[in-house]
Amino acid sequence: ICGSENVKRKHSRSSNGSLGRAENKHLKNGDTEAVTLFEVVTMGRAAMQAVVDDWIDAYVADRDGALLDLISFFIQCSGCKGLVTAEMFQSRQDTDVMSKMVEDVDEDGGEYPLTTCGAYWKRFRSQFCEFVSVLVTQCQYSIVFDSYLMSTLISLLTELSDSRVRAFRHTCTLAGMKLISALVNVGLNLSVSVDNSQRLHEVEQAKTPTKRAVPRLERIRRKISELQDRKLEIENMMDAIFKGIFLKRYRDAVPEIRAICLEELAVWMRLYSSVFLNDSNLKYVGWMLYDKQSDVRLKCVLGLQTLYEDTQLSPKMDLFTVRFKERIVSMTLDKDHEVAVQAMRLVMVISQSCDEVLSQKDYSQLFQCVFASHRPLSATAGEFLCSRSVERPTRPLQALLAQMEAAVNRHSDAELLEAAARSYQSLCSEGSAWPSLASSNMDQLVQRWVRHLGTLLEEALKVSGFVTVEALRCVCYSTLWKLNTFGEVSSSRVSQAFMSLCDVLIAHNYQLLTWDPSAGAPLLYTLDPKLQKALLTFTVDHVFSGADTDTGESEVGASRQEDLHRRRNLLAAYCKLIVHSVLEMSMAAEIFKHYVKYFNDFGDIIKETLNRTRQMDKIESARTLVLCLQQLFLRLKQEQDSGNTCSSGVQTYSSIKELARRLSLTFGWDQVKSRESLAMIHRDGIDFVFQGFSQQAERHCPPYVSYLTILSEFSIKLLKPDKKTVYGYLQKYTGEHAINNREECWLPLIYYRASLQATGEGEDAVSFISSDASPSNPSRSSSARQLQTVLNEESMNKSFLLHFIF
């Protein structure tokens, strides 16, 4: 890409040239060569406003030379390899000159800046558009109205946008559309100025004749007239570009050009509705709703959304709505998924602003989209259904239930599951709207969904070897919706649904392990976080409810045994999801929290889950234990900091410490096998306690320092060399000189240090501190006594203990 002949200038020219402040190249002979506008804009090395200001200075000094620079800029942005000379500029009205400029450009396409690949050129479009916008903004109070700049620029862009060369049409159409958008902002500013001046005129006119300043009144009138003339001039410029470029290019053979025109038209109609928002212009959007390219249709739909969302503009679109409503409704079934989704959102907006436009037939067709195979479309349709059901509680839901029953009767097993999946999914995606539907006169209707659920899950099991992703998703969403929305359903049916769900997911996982590569690609389905959380919530609510059965009685009632058996089965089903990698291993953290409290009922299941996860990934299993303990600790700390009494669901400090001790015992006595996991637990715990703590800057102990006492329960499992390593890691945060051991807040640290220094068999932290105490070290002796008191006096007041620890 070559520059124009006015690129090379001496230093004296560059001082007031179009790029003096923006960018210069230094030559070997000491002269300075000003780079082209094209190079400065594409390189992005200077602020766009500075580039434009330099060009304006050059235009004031030599408008023909500066305008030649601007023309060269648009020619180069189009990928032209020719030279723009002063002679060509002077005779620019001759069409033969234009043909000389484009003689080296590929007419059929080829790469040019707007289509060139690579990170460098990806920024070009935004920089190019910014330049056009800033140019008009900086010139709006002066040279825009000199009848020379804009006239020349509009003529150039109009001529180039009508070229047979795609590069010129594409680049200059974009420039022309952005030029109108920039002029729209100028027109809006002038409108504001006119309104302000008119208010001043009214205030001055309302004064009594004796107080009225006639000269001031005349100045205001002249200003209003001048502003109105300028506004009219701006609108004439926009009209010239609209007729010269838009009306020719909105149906261009190149879809990118059509998309640019329709996208900007929507912007003009929204911002400058007094000029652009009329039936004459809206018809172009309506016609292009039928465009064969999905991107063009999408631009039209998105633009219409912004217009209908504005309550002041929507009344002006009544005729358009009547003429093109049928087409918009049909676009919800568009072959392009994104167009279909946005068309559904457009219909939602139209229904809110023009309630009576859509007929019952239209709603029936729209609500069928909850069965769509494309998830975003079915979810959007479900959102639409929920919004309509809140306004009219029975009719939409009744229609949908009738469609569901028809689907049940019409589809085969696998197809039925997929249809049910899409409907459940679309409704669950807007779960927050459903409580408003649970009125007494709707219960009977809703239960007809629930009665089908058991059958659906049984069918899923029958075809589990051949299920599709939607069938799997059906089981997940239907179970989630049923369990979370309708608690009155019998617990036995609910538990059966949950067990079936787990079986299907495990069967799917087994399918992946045994898949024959020669049979093609396997079915892949991963539970999203929402479903994983729903499964966990259900398990915790239905398994860990009530007290543990450590009653000392030899016999338990038959009903209690049956309930315990059901809860054990639910927990086992959930844990199998973890050990079979259906759920993330971190989802076991919530289960491990209940290891001690419910040890008699579920201890064997939880311990086996822990062992199996350790076999799968020792480090990830250890991280899950850390997550479990830290979550319990943080919840307790939050309760204490808020000044509230610990609720029944919050474990006490002593129970968390006991849980840590019991979890450490699961590592067994093979310390070599577990040394990496244990070291990670300690490092993570130390980082957790001392995050953001600086021993030089901080006078107080870290807020989580009491966690070290919990962490010390894992010290006994460390090998002697690993204890030294962990101790050294601890010292990076807390040097011996940095802490006053006489302060009670540091006792957990003292205790933890002692647990790392205790090397004898069976020696614990307290015994180590006690053995290290001597008359010459009274502070250490005092610390040992305090720790011994805190840890041994189980009958001491719990609130005092928590206050002491925290």
Side-chain angles (χ1 to χ4, degrees):
I1 299 175
C2 301
S4 62
E5 68 170 7
N6 63 328
V7 169
K8 297 181 180 179
R9 301 188 179 101
K10 296 296 183 181
H11 179 69
S12 60
R13 173 75 172 93
S14 66
S15 62
N16 62 353
S18 63
L19 302 169
R21 291 191 297 261
E23 186 77 21
N24 288 298
K25 290 183 179 178
H26 296 280
L27 304 178
K28 293 182 179 180
N29 59 5
D31 291 339
T32 302
E33 179 185 18
V35 299
T36 63
L37 268 174
F38 173 76
E39 291 173 335
V40 174
V41 171
T42 54
M43 289 187 297
R45 294 182 179 176
M48 198 63 67
Q49 185 171 340
V51 175
V52 172
D53 287 343
D54 285 336
W55 182 87
I56 293 175
D57 292 342
Y59 182 86
V60 173
D62 179 10
R63 71 179 188 177
D64 287 340
L67 204 53
L68 181 57
D69 281 341
L70 189 61
I71 293 173
S72 299
F73 168 74
F74 288 108
I75 296 295
Q76 289 179 306
C77 287
S78 302
C80 179
K81 299 179 181 178
L83 294 175
V84 183
T85 64
E87 291 77 11
M88 294 168 61
F89 172 66
Q90 295 297 331
S91 59
R92 61 186 179 274
Q93 300 298 328
D94 190 348
T95 56
D96 293 336
V97 175
M98 181 62 65
S99 63
K100 292 179 182 179
M101 293 190 340
V102 302
E103 61 185 3
D104 295 329
V105 180
D106 186 358
E107 295 185 13
D108 297 328
E111 285 194 343
Y112 49 96
L114 282 179
T115 61
T116 303
C117 300
Y120 180 82
W121 294 106
K122 284 183 178 180
R123 299 189 300 270
F124 172 79
R125 179 188 171 101
S126 61
Q127 293 165 344
F128 177 76
C129 296
E130 183 186 2
F131 174 80
V132 175
S133 176
V134 174
L135 176 66
V136 174
T137 301
Q138 296 300 100
C139 298
Q140 65 176 311
Y141 301 110
S142 55
I143 58 179
V144 161
F145 302 99
D146 68 353
S147 302
Y148 185 69
L149 169 63
M150 294 304 297
S151 176
T152 304
L153 185 57
I154 292 174
S155 297
L156 173 72
L157 295 179
T158 301
E159 186 174 1
L160 291 177
S161 66
D162 201 29
S163 171
R164 66 183 183 275
V165 180
R166 169 177 173 167
F168 279 134
R169 293 204 316 277
H170 190 179
T171 305
C172 294
T173 298
L174 176 62
M177 300 300 97
K178 291 298 180 180
L179 188 60
I180 293 184
S181 297
L183 291 173
V184 163
N185 291 325
V186 176
L188 292 173
N189 292 337
L190 289 171
S191 297
V192 172
S193 298
V194 169
D195 292 341
N196 292 338
S197 298
Q198 287 178 340
R199 280 194 290 271
L200 288 175
H201 182 271
E202 293 172 358
V203 171
E204 193 69 28
Q205 187 70 28
K207 294 180 180 179
T208 59
T210 56
K211 295 183 179 180
R212 186 183 306 160
V214 177
R216 174 178 170 81
L217 197 60
E218 288 299 322
R219 286 196 303 271
I220 295 176
R221 289 171 180 168
R222 286 195 300 270
K223 183 178 180 180
I224 293 175
S225 178
E226 179 184 352
L227 291 172
Q228 290 175 336
D229 290 342
R230 289 197 166 192
K231 180 182 176 183
L232 180 60
E233 189 173 352
I234 290 294
E235 292 177 356
N236 289 335
M237 295 177 191
M238 292 189 291
D239 184 64
I241 303 173
F242 186 84
K243 293 178 178 178
I245 300 180
F246 177 88
L247 292 183
K248 296 179 181 179
R249 300 277 69 83
Y250 86 96
R251 303 196 72 171
D252 193 278
V254 179
E256 290 85 351
I257 297 178
R258 301 199 299 272
I260 289 171
C261 292
L262 273 299
E263 182 179 20
E264 294 302 314
L265 176 60
V267 174
W268 310 332
M269 290 191 292
R270 178 172 56 86
L271 295 179
Y272 213 61
S273 59
S274 60
V275 172
F276 288 101
L277 185 57
N278 51 59
D279 293 326
S280 178
N281 290 339
L282 281 169
K283 68 184 179 185
Y284 303 124
V285 181
W287 291 343
M288 301 313 288
L289 289 173
Y290 295 88
D291 195 276
K292 61 182 179 180
Q293 292 294 326
S294 60
D295 189 54
V296 179
R297 299 196 300 273
L298 181 61
K299 297 297 184 185
C300 294
V301 171
L302 293 175
L304 289 173
Q305 286 180 11
T306 63
L307 297 177
Y308 279 106
E309 287 171 352
D310 193 325
T311 55
Q312 295 181 347
L313 301 181
S314 56
K316 299 181 180 180
M317 304 179 65
D318 290 342
L319 180 60
F320 173 86
T321 305
V322 173
R323 290 183 59 187
F324 294 99
K325 179 207 70 171
E326 184 177 348
R327 172 56 183 163
I328 294 173
V329 172
S330 68
M331 290 179 73
T332 58
L333 303 177
D334 197 280
K335 62 182 180 181
D336 184 88
H337 291 321
E338 184 61 21
V339 173
V341 171
Q342 296 305 328
M344 182 64 71
R345 294 200 174 278
L346 175 58
V347 172
M348 291 173 59
V349 177
I350 292 176
S351 69
Q352 294 170 359
S353 59
C354 312
D355 183 56
E356 301 302 326
V357 171
L358 298 176
S359 64
Q360 289 302 316
K361 181 180 178 181
D362 295 328
Y363 283 117
S364 178
Q365 176 181 336
L366 293 168
F367 292 156
Q368 287 182 7
C369 290
V370 297
F371 300 102
S373 58
H374 185 56
R375 291 187 65 187
L377 178 58
S378 62
T380 306
E383 180 183 349
F384 187 20
L385 172 63
C386 290
S387 64
R388 293 293 300 176
S389 298
V390 171
E391 299 169 5
R392 294 179 173 87
T394 57
R395 294 176 66 182
L397 188 59
Q398 282 178 326
L400 189 61
L401 287 171
Q403 294 168 17
M404 271 296 296
E405 290 183 352
V408 170
N409 296 327
R410 184 175 66 248
H411 291 72
S412 63
D413 292 344
E415 292 173 335
L416 178 145
L417 289 171
E418 293 190 23
R422 292 188 284 272
S423 61
Y424 278 127
Q425 167 196 336
S426 61
L427 297 175
C428 291
S429 65
E430 289 297 319
S432 59
W434 280 100
S436 62
L437 306 181
S439 57
S440 58
N441 58 347
M442 294 184 63
D443 291 340
Q444 185 177 1
L445 291 173
V446 174
Q447 289 301 323
R448 294 159 59 190
W449 276 57
V450 175
R451 285 198 295 269
H452 285 299
L453 186 55
T455 303
L456 294 177
L457 296 175
E458 291 171 2
E459 294 297 329
L461 288 175
K462 291 179 182 179
V463 296
S464 59
F466 305 94
V467 291
T468 64
V469 168
E470 290 297 338
L472 284 172
R473 190 175 291 120
C474 161
V475 181
C476 299
Y477 275 102
S478 59
T479 304
L480 168 65
W481 183 61
K482 178 180 178 182
L483 302 184
N484 291 345
T485 308
F486 303 103
E488 71 276 6
V489 181
S490 64
S491 60
S492 61
R493 292 294 300 275
V494 170
S495 299
Q496 181 184 5
F498 181 82
M499 297 286 290
S500 299
L501 168 61
C502 295
D503 289 341
V504 170
L505 293 175
I506 293 173
H508 167 65
N509 184 75
Y510 180 77
Q511 169 197 248
L512 298 180
L513 297 177
T514 60
W515 190 265
D516 182 5
S518 62
L523 170 67
L524 298 177
Y525 175 61
T526 303
L527 288 177
D528 56 55
K530 177 181 178 181
L531 288 175
Q532 294 196 42
K533 184 178 181 181
L535 290 171
L536 175 60
T537 301
F538 174 82
T539 303
V540 173
D541 291 345
H542 288 77
V543 174
F544 302 110
S545 57
D548 186 33
T549 58
D550 187 15
T551 59
E553 300 178 2
S554 58
E555 297 183 359
V556 182
S559 60
R560 179 67 179 90
Q561 285 184 339
E562 182 180 352
D563 180 67
L564 177 60
H565 180 70
R566 178 186 62 82
R567 291 160 64 194
R568 284 176 60 85
N569 285 340
L570 290 177
L571 178 60
Y574 179 84
C575 291
K576 283 194 294 184
L577 295 178
I578 296 173
V579 300
H580 285 281
S581 300
V582 177
L583 298 178
E584 297 175 1
M585 193 177 296
S586 60
M587 300 299 290
E590 193 69 29
I591 303 300
F592 294 159
K593 295 176 183 178
H594 304 278
Y595 181 53
V596 174
K597 182 178 181 181
Y598 291 91
F599 183 80
N600 292 291
D601 286 344
F602 313 117
D604 56 337
I605 300 176
I606 298 177
K607 185 174 182 180
E608 180 63 20
T609 303
L610 180 55
N611 292 334
R612 296 285 288 273
T613 57
R614 196 168 289 156
Q615 294 172 11
M616 295 164 58
D617 189 330
K618 291 187 292 185
I619 297 299
E620 189 63 27
S621 177
R623 285 197 179 97
T624 305
L625 295 183
V626 170
L627 178 64
C628 165
L629 294 172
Q630 289 182 359
Q631 286 179 346
L632 289 172
F633 177 83
L634 289 174
R635 187 176 179 187
L636 176 61
K637 186 71 164 63
Q638 183 180 8
E639 289 281 329
Q640 293 299 316
D641 290 345
S642 63
N644 299 328
T645 304
C646 291
S647 60
S648 58
V650 179
Q651 296 194 27
T652 63
Y653 182 82
S654 59
S655 65
I656 301 174
K657 191 172 184 296
E658 174 62 16
L659 175 61
R661 186 185 72 83
R662 299 282 285 272
L663 292 176
S664 70
L665 295 178
T666 63
F667 284 96
W669 295 104
D670 190 349
Q671 296 171 298
V672 176
K673 188 194 317 185
S674 305
R675 65 182 305 186
E676 186 178 356
S677 301
L678 290 164
M680 189 279 297
I681 291 175
H682 282 273
R683 286 195 304 270
D684 190 278
I686 294 172
D687 292 338
F688 171 72
V689 171
F690 293 101
Q691 53 185 332
F693 176 76
S694 173
Q695 56 177 308
Q696 287 81 14
E698 301 288 343
R699 294 184 178 181
H700 303 288
C701 61
Y704 301 156
V705 68
S706 55
Y707 181 78
L708 292 175
T709 308
I710 297 173
L711 186 61
S712 65
E713 295 295 338
F714 294 90
S715 298
I716 194 173
K717 294 295 182 180
L718 286 171
L719 293 172
K720 184 176 180 180
D722 293 338
K723 287 186 177 182
K724 293 182 179 180
T725 302
V726 172
Y727 188 85
Y729 189 77
L730 176 67
Q731 291 300 92
K732 293 180 181 179
Y733 289 98
T734 59
E736 291 284 354
H737 63 283
I739 299 174
N740 185 352
N741 289 340
R742 290 173 293 180
E743 297 182 10
E744 291 184 354
C745 66
W746 288 105
L747 289 178
L749 175 60
I750 301 171
Y751 185 81
Y752 180 58
R753 278 176 167 171
S755 71
L756 296 175
Q757 293 173 331
T759 58
E761 184 177 356
E763 184 178 13
D764 59 9
V766 176
S767 61
F768 178 84
I769 296 176
S770 300
S771 64
D772 189 49
S774 64
S776 61
N777 192 357
S779 63
R780 179 64 60 89
S781 178
S782 174
S783 298
R785 288 194 299 271
Q786 292 181 43
L787 275 173
Q788 191 70 52
T789 300
V790 171
L791 297 173
N792 291 343
E793 291 185 3
E794 297 182 357
S795 60
M796 73 184 306
N797 183 275
K798 289 184 179 180
S799 61
F800 169 75
L801 173 61
L802 291 171
H803 173 73
F804 177 82
I805 292 296
F806 291 117

